[in-house]
């Protein structure tokens, strides 16, 4: 059935319906639950993946695919498709789940006088992580709650059943995962909307990291009590509960959880904030290195002040004939004799690492290019630093040195002999014949 639903979906796109706010239905995964008691009396939950359709329309509309379980979303104050920013429908991942109110019945303001509700959640995620939207779907029912945990006796849902629902509440974040540099200003986006005016809600922001949990902000609309900071009260009145971080520090890294409760509904969205600092890369030598054949030099590539810890440093060597060629050039070879230092933990909580090797000069290596490549999650492409090796024969140096020595010796001898020669010449000139 999954293949049939996807085929129908892509055929509808090919027919010219491209954007989510125009699409009349979406394929979804319905994560159903089968709850039972084990031999020890403990509750066990088995999750069952079922194929379903999320269809937009009016009450009484025929299902797009009659053999599929259909969640029909009818009109309300909230249009779920407006929260999807016109993205293409094939970039959405749709998941449906039952929602338990723990057997408690709270009359929803827009429902009929003698109605009860069964609740479901619908989560739509962008495949590239651009946003996450979760909606509460209200399905009217004439069956009153049992008064005990409703998940213990979920009503069965048949494969071809049509569940007519309306959107009661929507939450959205445009920043499910955030990468931030030190000192930057960040805004963790979170918004919500309810299908009736003046709802009583409680909203909270928490920061969590490595077992630590700190409340950053809370607001109760019924009492008007507010604690903490980071959320603008004017924007909150319009449903924008985004949290501002004016100056990002290492201590800000972690998971930020925003929860909103409108009785009997409760939802929490997690937003991950990752600190990333790009490494500074340098070599201990200049762009060229000249050595005599047989000479040795320690060559060091330093990657400094990066975060988080994972970094990769690789040394390559390339023949002079291949350097500069773009087409048909052999790939650089990875140096095998490279050693790594231990990670150095800096005072600002960043890290540093060195990769070094001992270069023994050989004439066959003269003209070769050596490249240090540093990769890190903060970099789109690796940082590369290189130098060219020049190797000269020791004999040529000895020859030049010998010539210079001979010339110096001749000059020294001439300097000593010249006065004597001049005196002898004068005596010879003055002698009478």
């Amino acid at each position: 059935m999954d293949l049939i639903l996807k085929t129908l979906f892509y055929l509808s796109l090919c027919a010219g319906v491209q954007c989510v706010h125009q699409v009349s239905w979406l394929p979804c995964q319905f994560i159903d639950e089968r709850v039972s008691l084990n031999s020890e009396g403990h509750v066990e939950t088995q999750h069952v993946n079922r194929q379903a359709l999320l269809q937009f329309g009016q009450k009484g509309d025929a299902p797009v695919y009659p053999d599929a379980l259909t969640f029909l979303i009818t009109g309300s104050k909230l249009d779920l498709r407006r929260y999807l920013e016109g993205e293409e429908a094939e970039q959405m991942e749709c998941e449906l789940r039952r929602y338990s109110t723990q057997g408690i019945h709270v009359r929803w303001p827009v429902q009929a006088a003698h109605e009860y509700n069964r609740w479901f959640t619908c989560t739509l995620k962008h495949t590239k992580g651009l946003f996450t939207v979760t909606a509460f779907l209200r399905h009217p029912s004439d069956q009153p709650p049992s008064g005990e945990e409703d998940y213990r006796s979920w009503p069965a849902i048949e494969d071809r059943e049509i569940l007519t629902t309306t959107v009661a509440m929507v939450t959205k974040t445009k920043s499910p995962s955030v990468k931030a540099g030190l000192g930057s200003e960040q805004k963790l986006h979170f918004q919500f909307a309810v299908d009736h005016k003046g709802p009583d809600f409680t909203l909270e922001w928490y920061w969590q990291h490595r077992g630590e949990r700190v409340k950053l902000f809370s607001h109760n609309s019924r009492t008007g009590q507010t604690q903490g900071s980071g959320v603008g009260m004017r924007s909150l009145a319009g449903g924008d509960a985004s949290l501002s971080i004016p100056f990002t520090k290492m201590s800000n890294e972690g998971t930020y959880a925003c929860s909103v409760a409108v009785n009997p509904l409760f939802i929490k969205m997690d937003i991950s904030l990752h600190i990333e600092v790009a490494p500074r890369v340098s070599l201990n030598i200049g762009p060229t290195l000249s050595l005599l054949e047989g000479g040795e030099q320690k060559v060091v590539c330093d990657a400094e002040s990066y975060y988080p810890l994972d970094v990769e440093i690789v040394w390559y060597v390339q023949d002079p004939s291949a350097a500069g060629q773009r087409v048909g050039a052999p790939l650089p070879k990875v140096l095998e004799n490279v050693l790594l230092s231990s990670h150095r933990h800096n005072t600002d909580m960043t890290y540093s690492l060195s990769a070094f090797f001992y270069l023994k000069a050989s004439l066959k290596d003269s003209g070769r290019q050596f490249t240090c490549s540093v990769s890190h999650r903060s970099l789109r492409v690796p940082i590369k630093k290189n130098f060219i090796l020049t190797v000269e024969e020791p004999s040529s140096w000895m020859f030049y040195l010998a010539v210079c020595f001979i010339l110096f010796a001749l000059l020294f001898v001439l300097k000593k002999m010249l006065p004597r020669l001049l005196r002898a010449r004068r005596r010879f000139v003055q002698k009478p014949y």
Side-chain angles (χ1 to χ4, degrees):
M1 182 181 291
D2 186 25
L3 179 61
I4 296 174
L5 293 179
K6 288 183 177 178
T7 302
L8 287 172
F9 175 67
Y10 286 112
L11 284 175
S12 69
L13 292 179
C14 292
V17 183
Q18 296 295 330
C19 295
V20 172
H21 68 275
Q22 298 171 322
V23 168
S24 59
W25 64 276
L26 291 169
C28 293
Q29 282 280 335
F30 175 44
I31 314 299
D32 205 354
E33 295 181 0
R34 293 176 183 171
V35 180
S36 60
L37 296 177
N38 60 20
S39 58
E40 298 177 351
H42 299 303
V43 175
E44 288 187 347
T45 302
Q46 179 186 3
H47 292 99
V48 181
N49 294 339
R50 302 173 61 183
Q51 300 303 316
L53 254 69
L54 189 69
Q55 183 173 331
F56 301 92
Q58 301 297 324
K59 186 176 182 180
D61 284 354
V64 173
Y65 185 64
D67 290 334
L69 167 61
T70 300
F71 287 79
L72 178 63
I73 297 182
T74 59
S76 74
K77 178 184 176 182
L78 304 176
D79 186 349
L80 180 59
R81 291 171 291 184
R82 292 183 179 273
Y83 291 84
L84 306 182
E85 303 181 8
E87 291 289 338
E88 295 182 356
E90 61 266 29
Q91 294 180 321
M92 297 296 114
E93 293 178 353
C94 176
E95 182 181 279
L96 292 156
R97 290 178 179 266
R98 298 179 188 255
Y99 179 79
S100 172
T101 61
Q102 306 298 320
I104 300 172
H105 171 66
V106 176
R107 184 181 179 277
W108 196 251
V110 298
Q111 74 183 55
H114 302 289
E115 278 185 343
Y116 300 97
N117 298 312
R118 290 162 61 189
W119 295 95
F120 299 88
T121 61
C122 174
T123 300
L124 295 164
K125 294 183 179 180
H126 193 278
T127 55
K128 294 183 180 179
L130 299 184
F131 56 79
T132 299
V133 176
T134 297
F136 283 92
L137 307 182
R138 185 176 67 87
H139 172 61
S141 171
D142 57 2
Q143 297 296 319
S146 60
E148 63 178 15
E149 293 91 341
D150 45 6
Y151 61 83
R152 291 179 179 268
S153 56
W154 290 123
I157 299 176
E158 303 298 328
D159 285 341
R160 299 184 179 184
E161 190 168 343
I162 301 174
L163 297 173
T164 302
T165 66
T166 57
V167 178
M169 185 167 79
V170 179
T171 61
K172 177 181 180 178
T173 178
K174 295 181 182 179
S175 52
S177 181
V178 178
K179 297 178 181 179
L182 292 177
S184 62
E185 181 179 357
Q186 297 297 323
K187 186 176 184 180
L188 307 184
H189 176 263
F190 182 85
Q191 68 181 99
F192 70 99
V194 186
D195 67 350
H196 56 274
K197 291 184 178 181
D200 291 334
F201 69 88
T202 301
L203 184 133
E204 294 180 328
W205 274 100
Y206 281 89
W207 171 83
Q208 304 168 126
H209 191 55
R210 297 177 180 175
E212 187 179 0
R213 189 170 187 260
V214 178
K215 182 187 285 189
L216 303 175
F217 177 85
S218 66
H219 175 75
N220 185 297
S221 66
R222 184 174 60 84
T223 64
Q225 185 177 4
T226 301
Q227 294 179 340
S229 61
V231 178
M233 296 307 298
R234 287 188 179 181
S235 59
L236 181 59
D240 182 358
S242 300
L243 181 73
S244 295
I245 303 175
F247 189 86
T248 305
K249 299 174 290 187
M250 283 292 188
S251 58
N252 293 129
E253 185 173 55
T255 300
Y256 291 77
C258 185
S259 65
V260 60
V262 180
N263 204 17
L265 308 179
F266 173 87
I267 188 171
K268 177 175 72 73
M269 277 189 170
D270 290 339
I271 298 174
S272 299
L273 178 64
H274 304 282
I275 303 296
E276 292 188 355
V277 182
R280 299 194 309 269
V281 181
S282 61
L283 304 181
N284 68 328
I285 56 175
T288 59
L289 175 62
S290 297
L291 294 174
L292 291 179
E293 185 180 19
E296 192 172 75
Q297 171 74 44
K298 182 180 180 180
V299 181
V300 184
C301 180
D302 290 314
E304 299 176 293
S305 301
Y306 57 84
Y307 188 89
L309 182 62
D310 296 331
V311 70
E312 183 182 25
I313 306 179
V314 181
W315 273 102
Y316 297 95
V317 61
Q318 191 172 30
D319 290 331
S321 59
Q325 292 185 22
R326 294 187 178 182
V327 180
L331 294 175
K333 296 179 182 178
V334 178
L335 290 181
E336 302 293 342
N337 59 333
V338 176
L339 301 174
L340 294 176
S341 69
S342 59
H343 286 280
R344 300 184 295 277
H345 202 172
N346 304 318
T347 55
D348 61 356
M349 298 184 68
T350 61
Y351 298 92
S352 297
L353 182 70
S354 299
F356 61 94
F357 66 98
Y358 292 91
L359 176 58
K360 190 168 184 178
S362 174
L363 287 175
K364 64 182 179 61
D365 293 328
S366 187
R368 286 188 172 181
Q369 179 174 278
F370 292 79
T371 301
C372 174
S373 177
V374 178
S375 301
H376 188 256
R377 62 191 296 178
S378 63
L379 303 172
R380 297 184 62 183
V381 295
I383 297 176
K384 295 182 179 181
K385 298 288 184 178
N386 54 61
F387 69 92
I388 295 176
L389 174 66
T390 301
V391 182
E392 297 185 7
E393 296 184 40
S395 58
S396 61
W397 285 91
M398 293 296 293
F399 173 76
Y400 294 137
L401 184 62
V403 170
C404 290
F405 178 78
I406 292 171
L407 290 175
F408 178 78
L410 289 173
L411 289 173
F412 179 79
V413 171
L414 287 174
K415 184 178 179 180
K416 292 291 186 181
M417 295 296 294
L418 187 60
R420 295 181 182 180
L421 291 174
L422 290 174
R423 286 196 299 271
R425 182 176 181 276
R426 284 196 297 269
R427 287 197 299 269
F428 177 77
V429 172
Q430 294 174 358
K431 185 178 181 181
Y433 289 94

